[in-house]
Amino acid sequence: MKFSKSYEPGEYEADIYAAWEASGIFNPKLATKPTDNNSDGIDDRTRNIEKTYSIVMPPPNANGNLHIGHGLTIALEDSLTRYHRLKGDSTWYIPGADHAGFETWVVYERELEKKGHTRFEYDRDELYSRVWDFVADQRGNMELQLRALGASCAWDDLTFTLDENVIDRVYTTFEKMWNDGMIYRGKKLVNYCTKHRTAFADIEVDYKEEKTPLYYIKYGPFTLATTRPETKFGDTAVAVNPNDERYQEWIGKTITVEGVNGPFQVEVIADEMVDMEFGTGVVKITPAHDFNDWEAGQRHNLRVVQVIDETGHLTEVAGRFAGMTVEEGRKAVVKEMEKMGLIIKVDNNYVNKVPHCYKCGTVIEPMLKEQWFIDVKKLADVAISHLENNEINFHPTNKKTVLINYLKNLKDWNISRQIPWGIAIPMFKKADDSATDEPDWIFDRRTNLKEIEKAGVKYVRDEDTFDTWFSSSHWPIVCTDWTEENFNPYYPLNVMETGADILFAWVARMIMMGLYVTGEVPFKDVYLHGLVLDAQGKKMSKSKGNVINPMDLVTKYGSDAFRIGILKGRSAGMNQAFSENSVIAGRNLCNKLWNISRLVQSIVDEGEFMGATSSPYTTDNMGEDWICREINDCISKVEADIENYRFAEATETLYQTIWDKYADWFLESQKIYKNYSLLKITLESLLIALHPFAPFVTEAIWQNLSWTEGFIATTNWPSSLKFDPISAEEFENIRNIVSEARTTLASLPGTNNAKKYGLLYDNDSLIEENQLLIKALSKVPTINNLNGSPRGLRLALANHELYLDVPEKVVKDYKDALTDKILAVGRELDALNARLMNPNYVDKAPAHLVKETRDGVKEKEALISRLKNQLELI
RNA sequence: GGGGAUUUAGCUCAGUUGGCUAGAGCGUACGAUUCACAUUCGUAAGGUCACAGGUUCAAGCCCUGUAAUCCCCACCA
């Protein structure tokens, strides 16, 4: 006996994973790269494979640990992967690791600061190689954790986001875009973090509601409201709404404003952007530090005066305030203005949405910077047309609409970051102004060189790096080694599974880039998962202290328990609560399955000892037909559920079938009638069907049983079992009889009733033939033919004569319960009759429903008459 | 301002093209114990399906409206 009394995941998981990995079963059956140089470029092996299944892992941070969201990701993706592997597809689950540009940079910079250094002491190449070493030191944790979660990915094909082929591909795309005129260098307002000294894309900015004092200040002839008095030094106009009657006379005039550094003059402009209702309907325009003002400045050709520098301090235009931080400057300016009587009033209850750096919380300043931009119009339009053409199926479906809506309003994408940790932008700027015929900027891949020479002209490297999303948007392309030259059977991916929170940042960009580079959508399906919330439905966060570490749960309950637990009750795209209880339920299922296998093996061993096993199986009684039917139903439902990404339903179905049907009814019946071959094949079917969700316990059992060669992980998905449907349906009668006996026994006064009273049947062939089974399942001591006039308590069964052999006194005590039962059945009968009285129902409802209703009436009537009969006897 | 969702048992959630008596897990109550499993077995209680209308023979599901909760985008100088 290889089965211990309970399943101990810790004893099996590591060994099983190592055995899988060593055997190479995680690699796709079909070569991933065409090796033959046939005329059409297609590998011979490609031709023979019917189906491929490819899925990529959203790359976890290379130097981080996995969090609960990764746990969910792996549970989802690996279940899909294992299912398709069992289905016989050439399955390729490609793992990845993310250099996580800014995230990692922030961690590294913090380390640097702890040691009393700053990034500005080193050049980019030096910093890059230092971070590289830093990441290399930290790396590996997450890979071990992925293994612990059971991720059946092809480790040999792991893609790191800074791998050479990734950089190559990114440069190729960039070059193509540059040549296509889609890349431009622009001096525009960008979101800028003065702590990290880098620009951000719009999606990286975190807006928070804050109370910001709203100052009503005297501004020439006007009073205007502003939250940013310190930017006054950069004001180059003052604006009113062209329809505002209050200010008509001023439009176009130049006014003199009393300032803290003395008077200055600005022009009054009229612009639709001004909301007449807000404040006084007058706005000061600071084009260098506000997005709206910038646009107004473009419209009216205003001067741009920079007030805040890259370090977050006021520039020399602030005069005696220069050198102060923004915050200090604001206070000082307000104080001075108060002194001068320029502050009319202050609204301290004004709530403003303030942009923050999503990493350090520093207030983001709109800053005028030269950056590389992608003109996204064409990319977005192409993506929209393919989306509208339904080339990608979304789960949940509504995300497609959301995505299209986003793409329609997408602004040009700033891809420059001023941090060293990332892929260098392959652009060089002309250093020699005298070479007027040469272009100012040229593309070149030699980013390892600080200077290059071309046509005798010297060019200097741009020191910026790419936004990580620019390279990440190539993920399906680079992971599958897609090339222009060869047909790639793994591209497009079958599915992209990732978090709903990065629909815009990542999914949208993968679609645009996939189409731009390959002409095809990069994946056929998108499955988006929501956030994993804590048991109270609150977001997990370090500060709240409610973070659940997936590895703790894996250690405590096992990998399978975690996987089943986190999939429980989860549906696409929704933020949903998660608690240890669901993992406990998963652990219990694993243990149940273990003990089921333990019992089945002991029965089969006994059969083999007696030489009784035979193959193929036959079904010899109705319980056996029934379980075949139930398993078939279960497996086809699981197939449909997985193919439609209904993970919770799939695990739920398996849970019910294994526990409530296989263990509670079939195995109990097999204690009476043993069918060794059928026990084997049914157990194997259930093990295989559960394997995608619980890979370790099913493999551990499979190996312990050792009935079938090889791993369960690479066996064949179960085929349907043969059975007699009529016999299977008959078994439902047995289940009803047993349930009714149990219910009645439990409702009788006293305890241990099942041991006290036997069953009596009255010439009923179904009961007679299955009396041993009924006796065993209901746990009564005896079951006999009545042989005489009825006695005891009649069970509430419409089509069977069955009595509990209880004394007269107990029957009398049961009288009230019996009356209640008759009334309850009567109510049900009335409801059915009412339906039949409605001529519209009889005419319009489908015939089979009407028939069912009629049958129901007959059945209830029979039941009532039997129960009434009993009542009269009492 | 624009968009997307959610609301079903004490809790977390299912409920696929409308179909009869709305399900599960956990929790609760009562009972069981050598014989695979107390990580077990049996039984039960617990629901005006957010609210109001409408369509239909029939509505948790479809339509209209209301309320509450949540998320995303834009944005308030």
Side-chain angles (χ1 to χ4, degrees), chain A residues 449-475:
Chain A
L449 303 175
K450 286 183 180 169
E451 282 181 14
I452 57 168
E453 221 181 83
K454 198 163 185 184
V457 181
K458 204 162 86 181
Y459 285 86
V460 185
R461 179 178 77 182
D462 181 31
E463 291 297 297
D464 286 358
T465 52
F466 281 120
D467 172 15
T468 35
W469 296 116
F470 183 70
S471 49
S472 303
S473 60
H474 292 78
W475 202 236

Side-chain angles (χ1 to χ4, degrees), chain A residues 303-535:
Chain A
R303 280 186 305 126
V304 179
V305 177
Q306 190 173 342
V307 184
I308 300 164
D309 70 13
E310 290 174 6
T311 64
H313 295 83
L314 300 185
T315 59
E316 65 278 8
V317 300
R320 60 201 163 109
F321 302 94
M324 291 183 181
T325 64
V326 169
E327 210 177 324
E328 291 163 358
R330 183 176 308 173
K331 279 186 192 146
V333 168
V334 166
K335 206 173 164 192
E336 184 61 28
M337 287 176 78
E338 272 172 345
K339 229 187 269 175
M340 297 168 69
L342 296 174
I343 306 263
I344 311 288
K345 67 167 180 176
V346 184
D347 180 355
N348 281 312
N349 291 317
Y350 179 66
V351 177
N352 194 10
K353 277 192 184 161
V354 182
H356 289 268
C357 169
Y358 76 108
K359 256 319 184 210
C360 69
T362 302
V363 174
I364 295 286
E365 294 294 347
M367 194 78 75
L368 197 56
K369 296 284 291 180
E370 279 221 340
Q371 305 273 303
W372 294 107
F373 289 88
I374 297 180
D375 176 357
V376 294
K377 183 84 175 58
K378 254 186 248 161
L379 291 176
D381 285 349
V382 171
I384 291 166
S385 77
H386 285 260
L387 286 170
E388 283 175 344
N389 204 20
N390 292 321
E391 287 173 40
I392 301 175
N393 303 308
F394 283 78
H395 301 269
T397 48
N398 69 293
K399 294 291 179 189
K400 190 182 87 174
T401 323
V402 174
L403 187 57
I404 290 174
N405 205 32
Y406 169 78
L407 289 170
K408 282 183 176 164
N409 298 304
L410 193 57
K411 289 197 208 145
D412 283 357
W413 175 10
N414 172 10
I415 52 169
S416 310
R417 296 294 177 275
Q418 291 75 49
I419 54 170
W421 183 235
I423 299 176
I425 294 182
M427 291 300 282
F428 290 76
K429 190 182 168 96
K430 188 169 63 180
D432 182 0
D433 286 341
S434 62
T436 45
D437 292 344
E438 303 305 321
D440 289 343
W441 288 94
I442 57 166
F443 170 89
D444 200 292
R445 289 173 186 259
R446 290 171 290 168
T447 51
N448 56 321
L449 303 175
K450 286 183 180 169
E451 282 181 14
I452 57 168
E453 221 181 83
K454 198 163 185 184
V457 181
K458 204 162 86 181
Y459 285 86
V460 185
R461 179 178 77 182
D462 181 31
E463 291 297 297
D464 286 358
T465 52
F466 281 120
D467 172 15
T468 35
W469 296 116
F470 183 70
S471 49
S472 303
S473 60
H474 292 78
W475 202 236
I477 298 167
V478 294
C479 284
T480 56
D481 289 320
W482 182 91
T483 60
E484 283 81 352
E485 294 78 32
N486 294 306
F487 167 73
N488 186 323
Y490 296 97
Y491 186 94
L493 302 171
N494 290 72
V495 62
M496 184 69 228
E497 191 289 324
T498 191
D501 52 334
I502 47 176
L503 175 65
F504 298 154
W506 197 32
V507 178
R509 284 166 169 74
M510 282 191 285
I511 295 170
M512 290 191 290
M513 209 60 82
L515 285 163
Y516 181 69
V517 174
T518 73
E520 279 183 277
V521 292
F523 26 73
K524 297 166 193 160
D525 287 358
V526 172
Y527 179 90
L528 297 163
H529 61 256
L531 293 178
V532 181
L533 307 174
D534 78 359

Side-chain angles (χ1 to χ4, degrees), chain A residues 256-276:
Chain A
T256 303
V257 179
E258 199 179 344
V260 287
N261 286 340
F264 61 94
Q265 294 192 319
V266 291
E267 191 190 339
V268 182
I269 58 169
D271 197 292
E272 293 282 354
M273 79 176 230
V274 181
D275 178 0
M276 291 188 271

Side-chain angles (χ1 to χ4, degrees), chain A residues 744 748 757-760 786 789-795 802-812 814 818 869-871 873-874:
Chain A
T744 311
L748 291 176
Y757 310 123
L759 284 168
L760 299 167
L786 185 58
S789 55
R791 67 169 192 274
L793 191 58
R794 185 200 291 263
L795 297 184
L802 191 63
Y803 301 84
L804 268 175
D805 192 5
V806 300
E808 203 64 12
K809 186 182 170 302
V810 176
V811 176
K812 288 210 168 82
Y814 198 71
L818 196 60
N869 199 342
Q870 159 106 54
L871 196 61
L873 288 174
I874 298 175

Side-chain angles (χ1 to χ4, degrees), chain A residues 825-839 841-842 853-854 856-858 860-861 864:
Chain A
V825 179
R827 279 191 297 272
E828 289 167 16
L829 179 62
D830 290 348
L832 294 180
N833 272 324
R835 201 170 298 150
L836 287 174
M837 301 275 259
N838 181 345
Y841 173 72
V842 180
T853 312
R854 293 217 164 97
V857 166
K858 273 183 214 153
K860 303 284 181 213
E861 279 171 348
I864 287 179

